């Protein structure tokens, strides 16, 4: 009896996986125009969270170019991993699917050819994307709990977008993106504090001597935006902000 139930379940799952994937028909709420607003907001959120670790109010030095630059910088690992996995999509995946098609009936094969990918193809693609996301998270040495939370959100994003409702999927995607930005900002701030990067910085409009020298034991670079250098002095517990293009400079104490 149990064997028959298992066999029926296996046949049911096999039939579902071999069916042609039918995307949801709902109209997406988020369009290209909205993305033009969401993406810069995501970059600004990252910078705001990053500077909050140093007690700096970033919006006093706001520039939209900074959000686009930080997005490009943080997307480079994603682009790299995507390029590496693109070989699977272009070479290996078609061969795998071709071999799987041998076990399908002619009617199932015709249905998939007419309507697009099968459910199995979509699920394999999502699993591959999740694996790539996992590699990205591991590369940043995140805690296991953080990785699990982000992966669960990614799974919900894919499931709701592909099989339930696109707008719910978009909602989870936005939540995932901002949560990832918060995690990355904290991680990058911690890296900055631990490694204390230094280099020789000269801005003649502020001083004839160097504002920072390589190997300095007190000062280090917090961030370089399109218009400002942000320097931290641990010995004096001071933060210094120097304009790159003008003569403006500010300094203040910070307990962080």
């Amino acid at each position: 009896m149990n064997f028959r139930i298992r066999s029926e379940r296996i046949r049911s799952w096999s039939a579902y996986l071999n069916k042609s994937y039918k995307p949801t028909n709902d109209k997406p709420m988020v369009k290209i125009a909205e993305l033009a607003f969401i993406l810069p907001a995501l970059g600004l959120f990252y910078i705001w969270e990053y500077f909050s670790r140093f007690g700096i109010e970033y919006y006093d030095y706001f520039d939209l170019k900074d959000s686009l630059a930080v997005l490009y910088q943080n997307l480079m690992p994603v682009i790299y991993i995507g390029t590496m996995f693109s070989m699977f999509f272009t070479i290996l995946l078609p061969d795998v699917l071709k071999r799987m098609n041998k076990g399908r009936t002619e009617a199932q094969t015709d249905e998939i050819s007419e309507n697009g990918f099968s459910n199995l193809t979509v699920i394999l693609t999502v699993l591959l994307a999740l694996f790539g996301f996992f590699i990205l998270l591991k590369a940043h040495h995140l805690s296991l709990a953080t990785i699990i939370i982000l992966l669960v959100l990614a799974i919900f994003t894919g499931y709701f977008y592909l099989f339930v409702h696109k707008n719910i999927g978009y909602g989870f995607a936005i939540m995932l993106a901002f949560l990832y930005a918060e995690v990355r900002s904290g991680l990058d701030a911690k890296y900055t504090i631990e490694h204390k990067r230094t280099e020789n910085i000269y801005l003649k409009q502020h001083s004839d001597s160097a504002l920072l020298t390589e190997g300095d034991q007190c000062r280090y670079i917090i961030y370089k935006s399109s218009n400002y250098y942000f320097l931290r002095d641990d010995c004096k517990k001071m933060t210094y902000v120097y304009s790159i293009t003008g003569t403006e400079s500010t300094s203040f104490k910070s307990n962080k």
Side-chain angles (χ1 to χ4, degrees), residues 11 14-15 28 45 47 49 90 98 101-102 115 121-122 140-142 149 154 173 206 208 250:
R11 282 195 296 269
S14 178
F45 177 76
I47 299 174
E49 282 287 334
T90 57
K98 183 178 179 180
N101 278 334
K102 292 180 179 179
N115 299 328
T121 305
V122 173
H140 292 304
H141 305 289
L142 299 178
I149 291 172
H206 295 289
D208 290 332
T250 57

Side-chain angles (χ1 to χ4, degrees), residues 9-10 21 37 70 73 76 87 113 128 136 154 158 171 174 195 246:
R9 288 178 179 175
I10 292 173
Y21 166 69
F37 169 78
V70 79
Q73 178 183 355
M76 287 308 296
M87 181 182 69
S113 299
L128 183 65
L136 176 66
I174 293 171
H195 290 79

Side-chain angles (χ1 to χ4, degrees), residues 102-155:
K102 292 180 179 179
R104 296 192 179 105
T105 65
E106 185 177 349
Q108 289 173 332
T109 304
D110 291 341
E111 180 188 359
I112 293 171
S113 299
E114 292 176 3
N115 299 328
F117 298 110
S118 67
N119 287 327
L120 178 61
T121 305
V122 173
I123 292 173
L124 285 176
T125 304
V126 171
L127 288 176
L128 183 65
L130 287 172
F131 181 67
F133 188 45
F134 172 75
I135 292 177
L136 176 66
L137 298 178
K138 286 290 289 184
H140 292 304
H141 305 289
L142 299 178
S143 66
L144 180 60
T146 302
I147 291 176
I148 292 174
I149 291 172
L150 292 173
L151 280 177
V152 168
L153 273 177
I155 291 171

